[in-house]
Amino acid sequence: MAKRLSVIDADRCVGCQSCMFACTRRTAQGGLEESRIHIRSDGGFRKGFVVIVCRACADPPCARVCPTDALVPREGGGVRFHTAKCIGCRNCVEACPFGAVLWDASQDKPRICVYCGYCANYCPYNVIALEEIDPADDQASLNV
Amino acid sequence: MLAEDPLQRVLFVDLTKRRFWIESRRELFEEHLGGSAVAIRLLEELCPEGVDPLSPDNPIILTVGPLTGFYPLASKTVAMFKSPHTGNLGESHAGGRSAIAIRMAGYGAVVILGRSEMPIYVVIDNDRVTFRDASALWGTRSSYTTGSVLRKREPGSGHRTIMRIGRAGEQLVSYACVITETYRHFGRLGLGAVFGSKRLKALMIGGQRNLAPADRRAFRQVYDTLYNRATGSPLMQKYHELGTPMNVIPLDAIGGLPTRNLQTGRFEGAETISGERLASDYLGRRVACAHCPVACIHLAALRIPYPDDPYFYKTLMLGYDHEPIYATGSMLGIEDVPGMLRLMDEIEVQGLDVMSAGVALAWATEAMEQGLIGVEETGGLRLSFGDPEAYIAAIQRIVTQPTDFYRALARGVDHASAIYGGQDYALAFGGNEMPGYHTGPGCHLGYLTGARHSHLDSAGYSLDQAAAREERDLEPKEVARALLAEEQWRQVLTSLVICLFARGVYEPAYVLDALKAIGFDRSEEDLARLGVETLRMKNAFKAREGFDLATLRLPRRIFETPSPAGPFDEAFVRMALQHYAELL
């Protein structure tokens, strides 16, 4: 069964960005440039935070617009990314309505979530969690 | 230090010529790590002796440290400058996203020089610096507006800091602050006025990069240890739960909560303005600085009805902490919480340091009671303890400065009391207004000797509280020694820009492990030496600019109002000061 990172409750997010640092640290580096999850304020800290992460769509628009099949649908939802095929066209960035296709400016390639859940281990407030994708999920049922 | 660590890069921004350049200052960071230690060296290098703090020649130095971006809780930015408030060393620290943003933009330090001809804001995005017209933003009523305009106008949300000033900074109030991410501040010693003097309305900094550790495995191990200490142990619990306002009730209970301009150390409304009460009745959200899982920033949701229209409300989200509660609550005798919060909000709107502002109003109220000033001076306002409406109006006038009196009050209580009298109860130490502790000689000696004249320099209140608990008298020499040792170690923490709330997490052995994994091999003696040298350099800078421990003004009020640690007198304080000077 495929897993994805679920946003359990964005209203509990304090904006500490520990998940973002965890995502880059997964590659044993400090900093943020590898991060595949993004936390920003919803228009200032007083309005709370937005958690931007790949929701592993059943029929992912990012894969549909990829001209070189660098992004291919993963069984059960989400995508897999084949770096070597990517030409850096940014179609995928435009296609994701959540803005969850983040961009690696130094590589000129998208940063695609690998659904490992490492970030969730460092969320002190249970905002995010790695969960199995439920096939009965109404969004998943669109996958015809 | 690893060869490729961008920490060594110092960005210089010259507002006069609208130029910028980057210098590699590897030796500076290799030897002194960052934060306070690097900043004082850059200040000594760049700040001419005797310079007018509001002249173009006063530099603004912002530094971060090697741990920033690697580890949690190392998310403070140190600002150094010459203070327009004290005319001496200016050092102020802020969190928010400021430190992460500077580090991720690829710098260990950012230095602002000169003065712009017109109001501007500066955008630093990785290696690009843009000077943008801020003339339309200049004079906007609320500091919140500047934040929301720039947030929408410039890209990079989530990866940037927006440091900005309110009208207080534009009008050069000597205790104007710089606000970052709405709820954090370079609060003390007037950095806002230095921004204003440079016509710098805002400074935005952002970027993204990876940082390579020296030992990948050790880095992840040390990270987990520190993260678990911060989240899984009781070390950060008080900041995590009630936050700093958990101090209000215990301080009041021992008689150490400055009330009505320190006429007493007990406040009948302490329970009403306590952290417990604010949490149960007003806490609307908690937020965090970047890379800090603790989330100590507590926001009160205050619903305010519009008197002219039924069923019409606005809801303010206001950051509260112990010091703002002390400064706008007990110190002004205000126990009406909505009134206290609206006063705090007006101070935010104008962009003032809340502690100096509250103490200034407290002094003015007592001066009015004593007949030293009247309604001619205050422009018709009758200031009285417990009345937030008059204080809200007075805050606006401190900024607009319609009379000589407000022009004087806009420079703090040292200055105003030198003109109007009432020095015995003008509660400033080394020119900086009093923090929210009156626990005994330790706290006051800490304010006097601390390089920043802040309660965070050496935490003298904890000496007092220990003495009170153990029911023993403090000795002047003992106090001097303890304050110096504490302030020396804190130089190490602030050179690594570790939040002082996390001092329990980052004990020396953990600091050494954290540094080693990212390429800084140090011993405990090295760190201790850095602390001693940094504090010595700060005090040498202060001596150069005319500071002398022997000539400090001591407000008599602190000896008259009973303290939890028992009575102490001027002779005690003078002796401790002398001893401190000898030890230094």
Side-chain angles (χ1 to χ4, degrees):
Chain A
M1 203 78 103
K3 291 187 173 177
R4 74 166 168 203
L5 199 76
S6 297
V7 180
I8 307 295
D9 185 356
D11 285 320
R12 289 186 64 150
C13 180
V14 298
C16 73
Q17 303 185 326
S18 293
C19 54
M20 291 164 62
F21 285 96
C23 190
T24 292
R25 200 170 57 258
R26 198 176 52 92
T27 65
Q29 299 178 91
L32 288 171
E33 203 174 19
E34 291 289 324
S35 300
R36 281 119 169 96
I37 181 168
H38 187 59
I39 307 293
R40 62 167 174 80
S41 77
D42 194 7
F45 272 36
R46 66 176 139 172
K47 295 186 180 158
F49 298 93
V50 182
V51 180
I52 300 167
V53 64
C54 176
R55 69 175 303 237
C57 305
D59 182 13
C62 56
R64 268 187 274 139
V65 298
C66 179
T68 61
D69 289 334
L71 284 169
V72 291
R74 181 182 64 148
E75 197 178 332
V79 287
R80 291 191 193 286
F81 180 51
H82 302 287
T83 318
K85 289 187 181 174
C86 175
I87 55 169
C89 71
R90 298 180 70 101
N91 283 2
C92 51
V93 175
E94 298 299 320
C96 179
F98 298 101
V101 178
L102 303 170
W103 199 251
D104 182 337
S106 55
Q107 300 294 319
D108 205 29
K109 308 259 191 229
R111 303 186 303 222
I112 303 292
C113 179
V114 297
Y115 319 106
C116 72
Y118 190 74
C119 55
N121 299 332
Y122 294 89
C123 176
Y125 301 100
N126 303 314
V127 174
I128 48 175
L130 190 69
E131 289 186 335
E132 298 228 330
I133 299 172
D134 180 0
D137 185 297
D138 59 357
Q139 192 262 345
S141 69
L142 291 173
N143 194 9
V144 286
Chain B
M1 184 179 188
L2 296 184
E4 67 275 19
D5 194 333
L7 188 71
Q8 61 200 290
R9 298 182 348 137
V10 179
L11 172 66
F12 290 84
V13 178
D14 182 340
L15 301 180
T16 309
K17 296 179 180 151
R18 296 198 175 202
R19 287 181 57 239
F20 69 94
W21 65 96
I22 297 160
E23 290 180 13
S24 175
R25 297 296 303 270
R26 189 178 172 79
E27 80 301 339
L28 202 53
F29 290 90
E30 178 78 60
E31 267 181 61
H32 311 299
L33 299 176
S36 298
V38 165
I40 185 61
R41 282 157 179 92
L42 284 171
L43 188 73
E44 205 201 45
E45 200 177 301
L46 298 167
C47 183
E49 191 170 338
V51 76
D52 173 356
L54 298 178
S55 80
D57 293 333
N58 188 16
I60 298 170
I61 295 153
L62 304 170
T63 55
V64 298
L67 306 183
T68 309
F70 276 111
Y71 298 105
L73 303 155
S75 297
K76 289 276 193 175
T77 301
V78 169
M80 254 193 224
F81 49 97
K82 188 170 173 184
S83 165
H85 194 51
T86 61
N88 211 303
L89 178 68
E91 180 180 359
S92 193
H93 304 169
R97 294 210 175 117
S98 61
I100 295 293
I102 292 171
R103 187 84 160 109
M104 291 295 99
Y107 306 104
V110 175
V111 176
I112 309 289
L113 303 167
R115 170 191 283 161
S116 172
E117 264 182 41
M118 63 187 295
I120 56 166
Y121 69 92
V122 171
V123 183
I124 299 169
D125 175 18
N126 291 299
D127 280 354
R128 196 170 62 234
V129 177
T130 316
F131 300 87
R132 304 203 63 175
D133 181 3
S135 49
L137 285 168
W138 204 258
T140 44
R141 198 189 99 75
S142 169
S143 66
Y144 293 119
T145 307
T146 305
S148 48
V149 168
L150 294 182
R151 202 176 287 130
K152 290 191 183 71
R153 193 169 161 78
E154 301 291 338
S157 178
H159 286 298
R160 66 183 177 195
T161 184
I162 308 178
M163 302 175 188
R164 65 266 195 180
I165 58 169
R167 287 185 71 196
E170 297 173 9
Q171 297 300 319
L172 310 178
V173 177
S174 69
Y175 46 95
C177 71
V178 171
I179 301 163
T180 183
E181 286 67 79
T182 314
Y183 297 112
R184 297 291 91 182
H185 308 82
F186 294 97
R188 311 227 68 191
L189 299 176
L191 182 61
V194 182
F195 266 53
S197 75
K198 296 184 178 307
R199 303 196 179 95
L200 178 61
K201 183 66 180 170
L203 178 60
M204 301 178 75
I205 306 173
Q208 285 186 66
R209 70 192 54 240
N210 295 331
L211 300 169
D215 180 336
R216 291 169 163 240
R217 212 183 124 109
F219 163 54
R220 299 221 296 197
Q221 274 170 357
V222 175
Y223 189 98
D224 286 348
T225 305
L226 292 167
Y227 184 86
N228 292 334
R229 279 169 72 78
T231 57
S233 77
L235 288 166
M236 302 300 291
Q237 200 174 358
K238 84 173 209 192
Y239 302 109
H240 173 81
E241 292 176 352
L242 290 177
T244 57
M246 76 157 292
N247 288 334
V248 173
I249 286 179
L251 267 179
D252 177 67
I254 59 172
L257 181 66
T259 298
R260 288 185 286 276
N261 203 34
L262 194 57
Q263 291 176 14
T264 164
R266 291 184 200 275
F267 184 40
E268 63 285 359
E271 205 281 323
T272 314
I273 62 168
S274 67
E276 289 80 352
R277 186 68 80 82
L278 279 159
S280 70
D281 295 357
Y282 295 94
L283 181 57
R285 190 186 289 290
R286 276 178 39 212
V287 300
C289 295
H291 217 173
C292 172
V294 177
C296 79
I297 308 168
H298 288 58
L299 308 184
L302 177 67
R303 198 167 80 121
I304 302 175
Y306 283 87
D308 58 336
D309 200 348
Y311 303 106
F312 216 87
Y313 292 86
K314 65 176 171 183
T315 302
L316 300 178
M317 295 295 283
L318 271 165
Y320 65 85
D321 263 301
H322 171 72
E323 302 297 340
I325 289 173
Y326 137 75
T328 62
S330 65
M331 195 62 165
L332 295 174
I334 296 177
E335 56 180 302
D336 154 25
V337 175
M340 175 183 84
L341 291 174
R342 283 193 298 112
L343 174 58
M344 264 185 222
D345 187 56
E346 188 59 35
I347 289 169
E348 279 299 315
V349 161
Q350 302 291 347
L352 289 160
D353 171 34
V354 65
M355 292 157 75
S356 286
V359 174
L361 294 175
W363 169 82
T365 307
E366 194 164 345
M368 199 159 199
E369 280 177 355
Q370 299 293 321
L372 299 179
I373 56 166
V375 286
E376 323 73 78
E377 277 81 20
T378 63
L381 290 179
R382 288 186 194 284
L383 302 174
S384 71
F385 290 121
D387 175 12
E389 304 310 324
Y391 290 135
I392 289 169
I395 285 295
Q396 292 164 354
R397 293 177 197 196
I398 286 172
V399 174
T400 55
Q401 298 165 41
T403 64
D404 285 342
F405 173 71
Y406 287 110
R407 273 188 285 283
L409 202 57
R411 294 179 60 184
V413 295
D414 244 7
H415 180 79
S417 67
I419 297 170
Y420 293 93
Q423 290 217 303
D424 286 350
Y425 51 84
L427 292 158
F429 299 86
N432 197 24
E433 282 72 14
M434 178 181 177
Y437 305 84
H438 174 64
T439 47
C443 75
H444 294 291
L445 277 159
Y447 311 151
L448 290 161
T449 57
R452 301 191 273 152
H453 303 291
S454 156
H455 59 297
L456 291 169
D457 282 326
S458 49
Y461 47 83
S462 63
L463 297 176
D464 296 330
Q465 283 163 297
R469 262 195 314 275
E470 295 156 19
E471 296 184 15
R472 63 182 184 86
D473 292 333
L474 289 163
E475 294 296 329
K477 285 192 172 182
E478 169 203 2
V479 174
R481 267 196 309 275
L483 290 174
L484 183 68
E486 183 64 26
E487 191 169 2
Q488 284 167 340
W489 170 245
R490 290 185 178 213
Q491 303 309 304
V492 177
L493 295 174
T494 62
S495 297
L496 295 165
V497 300
I498 292 165
C499 178
L500 289 172
F501 293 171
R503 59 190 181 273
V505 172
Y506 277 96
E507 287 173 346
Y510 295 94
V511 171
L512 294 176
D513 286 349
L515 281 170
K516 186 155 193 246
I518 59 168
F520 290 82
D521 231 328
R522 289 293 191 284
S523 67
E524 211 166 320
E525 296 71 45
D526 294 335
L527 295 182
R529 197 164 47 245
L530 180 77
V532 170
E533 282 170 8
T534 301
L535 189 57
R536 195 176 288 141
M537 279 200 72
K538 284 194 201 174
N539 279 286
F541 179 91
K542 291 181 77 167
R544 186 193 94 177
E545 298 295 325
F547 180 77
D548 184 356
L549 285 166
T551 58
L552 280 168
R553 184 180 70 80
L554 306 179
R556 193 183 308 182
R557 174 64 46 82
I558 65 171
F559 307 116
E560 295 166 347
T561 300
S563 83
F568 61 100
D569 59 11
E570 177 160 354
F572 182 112
V573 172
R574 293 280 177 211
M575 197 183 301
L577 287 173
Q578 194 188 337
H579 195 62
Y580 188 95
E582 287 161 11
L583 289 171
L584 202 67

